[in-house]
Amino acid sequence: MTRVAFFPGCLIPARHPPMEFAIRYCMRNLGVELVDLEGASCCPDPIYFKSKDKLSWLAVAARNLTLAEDLGLDVVTNCSGCTATLSESYHLLQDEQLRAKVNERLARIGREYRGTSRVRHIVAFVRDEVGYETIRESLVTPLDGLKIAIHYGCHLLKPSKIMQVDDPNNPSVLEKLVSALGAVPVRHRNWYLCCGKACQIGDIPTNMMHGLLGTVNDEQADILCMICPTCFGQFDHGQLKVMKQFDEEAYTPPIYYFQLLAFAQGVPYEELGIERHRLKPECLRRFTSVAAEERKVSTDGAYQEP
Amino acid sequence: MASGSCTNGDPVRVDFRFRRELAEKIEGNLASFCYQCGACVGDCPATTYGATFNPRELMLKVLYGLSDELMVTDSILWQCANCYNCHERCPQEVKPVEVIISMKNMLADRGIYPDAVRKVIETFEQTGRTTPLSPAVDRQRAKYGLSPLPPVPMEEIQKLIEPASIEGDEA
Ligand code: SF4
Ligand code: SF4
């Protein structure tokens, strides 16, 4: 089994436990052992705390990375925000002066950053270390013919020199991950647009979302798939808000990629945590298979090892 | 539009104190390499969907050190969506978004940032997380077979985010 340090961040564990459940479930099925990092904090977030003081932000990020260094493992992140912070910190800390400055801070708590653990977004990790074929082999309910619009979000791809995930002008990793489920990926015209969550003033975020959703809905996909929990929030309750504000009826229900994979690996629709979505991907119900129903669920709702 | 004192014809006095303060911030000094080509503007969503925001103009204001236009409550800086398109596009590796964040650090030094931002920062400084723990969160997690979230060792975080001490570390 491949072992990696798992950095789930704040948003997924606290606000979207079903996403974390899906990741742990899927990774186990794909032969990856996720090792939890004891004592980890917020990455810290690349929008708010970074706006207060970059040096403190970097010092806290470096501390999180040292937890993985202690275990001799690379870090896998599941949130594009965490990936932005930790990848950028790894990159910035290659500068000797800055590293010395940060290590002075870390010395206050008896730690030292060495730069020995790489940071990888779970999407890149799955592509490179697991492979699309292994995903295909893990499926119980292939999503044949399901039309899936894709949203990459910003921090998976950019800045590309730092993130090193995919071509920022023509990425393919999400298309391929979706195809591995048997589904048909579609790229909407505004695929590169930001979800707008980080913008703090005025109508800009709403206008951005409106522009984005227009081209998503044009594709008439069954669902919209993404890999960032912040984008997900924008596409769920954010989409509802935009629909109300612009008095529009068309929508595309969003889902986080690993919940989709968990479904295709046999977790029944009712157990995916969809009841918490404002816009529900009911179209998935047509795939409910005998295999999925036979799967055993323990009394507290947790899954037994397959 | 929105050029303020950049282009009104009067001679501009460069505010070097502002520039020096910005240069103290990580990657704050990168605006010095800006040659005003505008490559950062085309893919900037805050430019496309807002009325006045323009990263090239912001870099020009930085070069002049127009602190009065930038270091204000509800500064235009908060319109940036942090999408990193400008970082990707700039041929000079100015990283306009990083210069903008460095200026937000200067706003924070002056104690002026939007309430929504302040709230998240405070949550992080008090709990070590941006999304706080609660019994309801742990109940949700248990429903999915996930263990309760452990508290963050806050003594360590607080020591790390304290400014440089008088003993002179980070001198
Ligand atoms: S792309 Fe770079 S050099 Fe060109 S205007 Fe923008 S910041 Fe300046
Ligand atoms: S990071 Fe900010 S300034 Fe740069 S392109 Fe995005 S919105 Fe515009």
Side-chain angles (χ1 to χ4, degrees), chain B residues 31 33-41 55-57 59 86 89-96:
Chain B
F33 300 100
C34 173
Y35 53 29
Q36 290 288 295
C37 67
C40 52
V41 181
R56 181 193 58 77
E57 281 183 7
M59 293 309 107
C86 53
R89 297 281 174 249
C90 175
Q92 284 290 91
E93 303 200 16
V94 167
K95 309 183 182 176

Side-chain angles (χ1 to χ4, degrees), chain A residues 13 20 42 50-52 54 63 88 104-105 108 155 158 160-161 169 199-200 273 275-276, chain B residues 26 78-79 82 85 88-89 93 98 102 105 125 128 140-141 143-144 156 159-160 162 170:
Chain A
E20 183 181 335
C42 176
K50 187 180 178 188
S51 296
K52 184 178 180 192
K54 278 189 185 177
R63 176 184 170 279
E88 200 196 329
E104 273 172 29
R105 290 254 177 137
R108 298 173 184 177
H155 298 165
K158 300 166 291 190
S160 56
K161 270 193 197 150
N169 298 315
C199 177
Q200 299 294 329
E275 74 279 0
R276 292 164 61 83
Chain B
I26 296 171
W78 296 107
Q79 294 187 13
N82 282 68
N85 278 346
E88 193 65 38
R89 297 281 174 249
E93 303 200 16
E98 292 299 341
S102 294
N105 284 186
E125 291 180 342
Q140 258 301 315
R141 293 179 56 78
K143 216 178 127 191
Y144 294 93
E156 292 198 18
K159 275 186 196 155
L160 281 181
E162 262 169 39
E170 295 164 22

Side-chain angles (χ1 to χ4, degrees), chain A residues 41-44 49 56-64, chain B residues 124 157 160-161:
Chain A
S41 69
C42 176
C43 53
F49 190 65
S56 296
W57 166 81
L58 195 54
V60 177
R63 176 184 170 279
N64 281 324
Chain B
F124 171 70
I157 302 299
L160 281 181
I161 65 179

Side-chain angles (χ1 to χ4, degrees), chain A residues 154-155 158 194 199 204 208, chain B residues 40-47 53-56 58-59 77 79-89 95-98 100 104:
Chain A
C154 298
H155 298 165
K158 300 166 291 190
C194 169
C199 177
I204 299 177
M208 243 150 124
Chain B
C40 52
V41 181
D43 280 342
C44 171
T47 304
F53 188 93
N54 180 318
R56 181 193 58 77
L58 281 177
M59 293 309 107
L77 300 174
Q79 294 187 13
C80 169
N82 282 68
C83 75
Y84 284 76
N85 278 346
C86 53
H87 191 311
E88 193 65 38
R89 297 281 174 249
K95 309 183 182 176
V97 55
E98 292 299 341
I100 289 169
K104 288 176 177 172

